[in-house]
Amino acid sequence: MEKKLTWRQNLLMVSLIFGMFFGAGNLIFPVHLGQLAGAAWGQATFGFILSAVLLPLLALVALGVTRSSSVFDLIKPLGPRVSIVFVVILHFCLSPLVVAPRTATVAYSFSIANWLPESAQQLGLVIFSLIYFILVYWACLKADSITSVIGKYLNPAFLILLAVVFVLALVWPMGDLRQHVTSAYQSAPVLSSAIEGYNTVDALASLVLGVAIVHAIENMGYHKPAHVAKIIVKTGTWALIGLSLVYVGLIMLGASSLGKETISANGAIALTQIMMNYFGSFGQVFLAVMGPVAVFTTAMGESSSMAHDFHRAFPKVSYEGWLALAVGLAFLVALLGLDKIIAWAVPVLLIMYPVAITLVLLNLVSPWLGRTKALFEWSIGLTLIGSIGDGLTQVPFAKALGGFVSYSQNGVEHLGWYQEHVFMASHGFSWVLFAIAGLVIGLAVQFIKKSPSVDAIEAK
């Protein structure tokens, strides 16, 4: 008979999963989404939760179903070389290129940026980021004690204040929810907000950090894939319901804030304005202290994870050496500032997310379709072609690509030729058609060649 988790074990797993996903992107992007979506906030919330909540949960389930000990196991059918390339690119996206530097710029925006004049902003960012990543490096070497304090006391304090803000916003809203809807959210708010959900990077993080969740469940005495997957679904659902409630509150805050504020350049500015509206200078100071703390563990987790996986793949360089590389590169990227990091992250995530989604779905259905080289090569290969097309449509330098991307001229938005002629490309989802084609071709090749599953080959 299958034993059940005790309430303490359930609470521990819910807390672990929630803590893994609560970071910088979970704070700033929902607020900004609310401002952009305005009156369409309900549909936008649905799309955001699909990509920022459901996809990470499916990634965790895929790890449990396949009994993966790392992300290498998920992509094993493509062979060791491709697996290493994928993991290297994935880690660079999560640590030094997007997520880790973004946490530093968000922390800076929440804190001393609010007290520095415009002329001193760049110097302030340099000094702040240098100190921040020195602390990240040190904390990664003392991870257990640091994360214990942050997880037990500081993050809950931040969430309690957010809950107070949500209550105040219901009683004394900054404005109603019938605000102006920006152009991107007028025709397809669900699709636009799903793309916005990519910015949380939680589905990619699940592939790397989710193994820790699987191991925690196995350490409790559960080893059968079906049992592990069941526990992940149960505890992960509760954790992500909690995160969804935070998202709903933040999106509604963003939409209602337009009653007193204009659309901000980014969510860090918007959240600061909202906190000051309800708490005055105390809100600004509290956010300046707790905001950096809330995002600090994200930088720790991503940097440490990259260093561990790189050391395992390339053991000649020590863990400390890879960690120094991760935080050093993250420091350099952070100097670009939050707005530029977000702008450049969009095309990167439009390329990486569809590949990760396809990878997760292939592993989820592997008990029925198998995990063959042909199926994975065709499905992921064609998905990558479509996702590269989607990513190129959003690069910051529009005209340099000869009309490939959309651009504005005389106040009129012009679509590039890829967006005009490829199905769903104007919404960033042309990869779906490519993925379906790859799945069909892969299954056909698998059937014709009678290709055995990689797991079956290893079992012999």
Side-chain angles (χ1 to χ4, degrees), residues 379-449:
S379 298
I380 294 176
L382 290 189
T383 297
L384 181 60
I385 293 174
S387 68
I388 289 175
D390 289 330
L392 289 178
T393 65
Q394 298 298 320
V395 293
F397 45 87
K399 293 184 180 180
L401 291 177
F404 188 83
V405 305
S406 58
Y407 63 95
S408 179
Q409 189 174 41
N410 299 324
V412 179
E413 289 292 328
H414 300 270
L415 293 178
W417 62 264
Y418 185 83
Q419 292 172 308
E420 284 186 341
H421 300 294
V422 179
F423 178 70
M424 293 290 285
S426 61
H427 298 294
F429 286 93
S430 72
W431 65 269
V432 173
L433 194 60
F434 286 85
I436 293 173
L439 177 65
V440 172
I441 296 173
L443 287 172
V445 173
Q446 175 179 293
F447 177 77
I448 293 171
K449 291 187 175 181

Side-chain angles (χ1 to χ4, degrees), residues 119-444:
S119 59
Q121 288 293 330
Q122 188 59 42
L123 178 60
L125 177 61
V126 172
I127 296 173
F128 180 91
S129 299
L130 180 61
I131 296 172
Y132 181 89
F133 282 110
I134 289 174
L135 290 175
V136 168
Y137 181 86
W138 171 80
C140 285
L141 302 179
K142 308 285 185 181
D144 291 340
S145 57
I146 298 294
T147 53
S148 176
V149 171
I150 292 175
K152 287 183 178 179
Y153 305 108
L154 301 182
N155 275 349
F158 189 85
L159 288 172
I160 289 171
L161 185 70
L162 274 183
V164 172
V165 174
F166 295 158
V167 173
L168 291 175
L170 289 174
V171 179
W172 297 294
M174 296 175 69
D176 61 40
L177 298 174
R178 299 186 299 274
Q179 301 292 338
H180 171 71
V181 181
T182 58
S183 57
Y185 292 86
Q186 290 175 2
S187 59
V190 173
L191 296 179
S192 296
S193 58
I195 295 294
E196 189 74 12
Y198 287 4
N199 282 307
T200 65
V201 202
D202 284 343
L204 299 182
S206 295
L207 297 176
V208 175
L209 304 178
V211 174
I213 302 296
V214 175
H215 287 170
I217 294 172
E218 291 177 341
N219 289 337
M220 293 177 181
Y222 299 86
H223 299 284
K224 292 183 179 180
H227 293 175
V228 173
K230 183 178 179 180
I231 293 171
I232 288 175
V233 170
K234 180 182 177 181
T235 57
T237 298
W238 281 111
L240 294 175
I241 284 175
L243 195 56
S244 297
L245 293 176
V246 174
Y247 288 153
V248 172
L250 290 171
I251 291 171
M252 293 177 69
L253 274 178
S256 65
S257 71
L258 295 180
K260 291 186 177 180
E261 305 286 349
T262 58
I263 296 178
S264 59
N266 58 64
I269 296 173
L271 191 56
T272 300
Q273 292 172 339
I274 292 168
M275 295 291 284
M276 290 184 66
N277 176 77
Y278 288 109
F279 298 107
S281 57
F282 168 78
Q284 188 176 24
V285 172
F286 187 92
L287 193 59
V289 175
M290 297 303 297
V293 169
V295 302
F296 188 77
T297 50
T298 301
M300 283 178 58
E302 307 295 0
S303 300
S304 178
S305 178
M306 173 178 169
H308 276 300
D309 279 357
F310 276 33
H311 177 56
R312 184 170 63 176
F314 311 101
K316 289 185 178 180
V317 179
S318 67
Y319 165 76
E320 291 79 8
W322 286 120
L323 181 62
L325 174 67
V327 298
L329 289 177
F331 163 70
L332 295 176
V333 175
L335 302 185
L336 294 174
L338 181 57
D339 292 338
K340 288 185 178 178
I341 290 174
I342 291 174
W344 279 104
V346 171
V348 173
L349 295 177
L350 281 173
I351 293 172
M352 287 297 297
Y353 244 79
V355 174
I357 293 170
T358 304
L359 178 64
V360 166
L361 294 179
L362 286 174
N363 280 282
L364 281 175
V365 300
S366 61
W368 301 278
L369 299 184
R371 300 207 305 158
T372 67
K373 185 178 179 66
L375 181 59
F376 273 61
E377 279 184 342
W378 279 102
S379 298
I380 294 176
L382 290 189
T383 297
L384 181 60
I385 293 174
S387 68
I388 289 175
D390 289 330
L392 289 178
T393 65
Q394 298 298 320
V395 293
F397 45 87
K399 293 184 180 180
L401 291 177
F404 188 83
V405 305
S406 58
Y407 63 95
S408 179
Q409 189 174 41
N410 299 324
V412 179
E413 289 292 328
H414 300 270
L415 293 178
W417 62 264
Y418 185 83
Q419 292 172 308
E420 284 186 341
H421 300 294
V422 179
F423 178 70
M424 293 290 285
S426 61
H427 298 294
F429 286 93
S430 72
W431 65 269
V432 173
L433 194 60
F434 286 85
I436 293 173
L439 177 65
V440 172
I441 296 173
L443 287 172

